[in-house]
């Protein structure tokens, strides 16, 4: 017996992945509405957001996915029914599912990997109604709209884990971020809130201006200045930066090593130029540097991050939001690289 389920419609809209040559395409379907099992809640997804990973999954670059998989890891909405034995949530609560369904607290375990939403065999959030285990949800702060909250589960939490949980970033530190996408701009906002200075690399001078308006200490056009490690060192009195969100991968890692200050930390996060890096790590040894491999975060970390975002009045940067029927246009916009911050789909 589920509470409040009686008033719900019997069907719901969803997107499901349809196999193509080497990848998938989006297929819009009308599904039977799921029913929450014991310990699960039924969530009405009100907004979802896209990450670069979603593009890799659609293109088949992260391995095979189940035919009919519901895509996208990041969403937020409202509890509309609760299954038996649910104790934490009530109908009407505003919540977001966590990226790794089973990573609630403590250290990461490899067993959590296969249950990353919207990839492999684990259905994601691009559906009106989804059933979610009650431990796999976090409360959305009242200060954030549901669209803003839908940008947090992957991009924001990755920046948080890299900079705060692992990186211990503090006032006086200097951060380098690559590009002006989701992870990069959350990194800038978190660093600014703790009193650290951020240098933003961007291929667009217009986006550099927007990054400066958001609080970047300096920006460098990495297309016009391919040896961007040189100006980054100049901007830091020849010392280099203390923290780097490494989003490029094989083609950017060597420059990141050169831009890193003695004792600094590189958070290895991204794969824009492929999977890697393939770098010679001798310089890292010479400067007593550290590489943190960073993989999103837990529900416990998500809750701590939300408290921080509220305390520092940080609002996610949303470039554009799309209607549910425009999901393909949202993917196309992500692929174009025109966006600044996050792209959202309203359900
Ligand atoms: N390890 C994890 O847990 C984790 C979590 C989230 C994301 N990621 C990875 O982190 C990266 C960022 O993800 P995202 O979702 O934030 O991406 P995104 O929002 O799609 O960011 C796109 C922007 O990144 C910049 N960019 C693209 N290629 C670049 C390059 N070669 N060098 C520097 N900047 C480049 C461009 O900014 P400009 O237009 O300003 O040049 C582009 O507009 C991706 O590789 C993603 O797979 C990993």
């Amino acid at each position: 017996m589920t509470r409040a389920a009686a008033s719900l419609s019997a069907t719901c809209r969803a997107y499901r992945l349809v196999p193509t040559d080497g990848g998938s395409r989006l297929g819009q379907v009308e599904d039977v509405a799921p029913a929450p099992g014991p310990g699960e809640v039924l969530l009405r997804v009100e907004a979802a957001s896209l990450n670069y990973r979603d593009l890799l999954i659609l293109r088949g670059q992260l391995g095979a996915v189940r035919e009919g998989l519901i895509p996208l890891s990041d969403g937020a909405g409202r509890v509309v029914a609760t299954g038996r034995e649910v104790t934490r949530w009530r109908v009407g609560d505003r919540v977001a599912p966590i990226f790794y369904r089973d990573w609630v607290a403590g250290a990461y375990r490899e067993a959590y990997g296969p249950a990353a939403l919207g990839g492999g065999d684990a259905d994601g959030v691009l559906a009106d109604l989804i059933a979610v285990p009650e431990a796999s949800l976090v409360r959305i702060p009242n200060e954030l709209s549901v669209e803003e909250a839908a940008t947090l589960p992957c991009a924001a939490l990755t920046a948080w884990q890299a900079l705060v949980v692992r990186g211990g970033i503090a006032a006086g530190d200097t951060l380098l971020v690559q590009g002006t996408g989701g992870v990069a701009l959350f990194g800038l906002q978190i660093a600014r809130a703790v009193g650290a200075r951020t240098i933003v690399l961007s291929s667009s001078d217009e986006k550099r201006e927007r990054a400066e308006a958001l609080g970047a200490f300096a920006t460098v056009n990495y297309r016009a200045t391919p040896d961007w490690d040189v100006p980054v060192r100049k901007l830091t009195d020849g010392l280099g930066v203390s923290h780097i969100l490494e989003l490029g991968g094989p083609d950017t890692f060597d420059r990141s090593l050169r831009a890193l200050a003695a004792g600094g930390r590189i958070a290895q996060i991204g794969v824009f130029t492929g999977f890697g890096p393939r770098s010679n790590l001798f310089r890292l040894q010479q400067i007593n540097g550290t590489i943190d491999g960073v993989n999103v975060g837990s529900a416990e970390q998500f809750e701590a991050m939300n408290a921080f975002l509220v305390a520092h009045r940080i609002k996610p940067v949303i470039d554009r939001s799309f209607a549910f029927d425009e999901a393909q246009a949202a993917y196309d916009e992500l692929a174009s690289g025109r966006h600044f911050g996050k792209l959202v789909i309203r359900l």
Side-chain angles (χ1 to χ4, degrees), residues 5 15 18 34 60 74 86 107 113 125 141 196 207 224 228 275 331 333 346:
Y15 280 93
V18 181
D74 288 12
V86 167
V125 301
K207 289 186 187 182
W228 44 260
F275 296 85
Y331 272 80
E333 188 66 13
R346 297 182 308 276

Side-chain angles (χ1 to χ4, degrees), residues 157-168 243 245 267 269 292 294:
L157 190 53
T158 300
W160 174 260
Q161 195 205 154
L163 294 176
V164 178
V165 179
R166 308 280 289 285
H243 293 72
L245 297 187
I269 293 171
D292 293 306
V294 173

Side-chain angles (χ1 to χ4, degrees), residues 257-275:
L257 281 176
R258 279 178 241 150
L260 190 66
R265 305 179 83 100
I266 298 180
Q268 173 51 40
I269 293 171
V271 295
F272 282 139
T273 67
F275 296 85

Side-chain angles (χ1 to χ4, degrees), residues 50-53 55-56 99-100 154-155 158 178-184 200-204 207-208 222-223 228 246-248 251-252 268-273 294-297 334 336-342:
L50 281 85
N51 292 287
Y52 191 73
R53 166 181 180 262
L55 210 51
L56 295 174
F99 181 93
Y100 285 111
C154 176
T158 300
Q178 298 170 348
T180 53
V183 176
V200 176
L201 302 180
S202 176
S203 59
S204 150
K207 289 186 187 182
R208 287 172 54 204
Y222 63 85
R223 202 156 283 159
W228 44 260
E246 187 20 83
L247 304 179
D251 293 355
T252 51
Q268 173 51 40
I269 293 171
V271 295
F272 282 139
T273 67
V294 173
N295 208 357
V296 195
L334 186 75
S336 78
R338 279 188 297 258
H339 58 291
F340 180 84
K342 297 298 297 180

Side-chain angles (χ1 to χ4, degrees), residues 34 67 97 131 145 179 209 305:
E67 183 172 348
S145 71
E209 276 178 29
M305 175 186 75

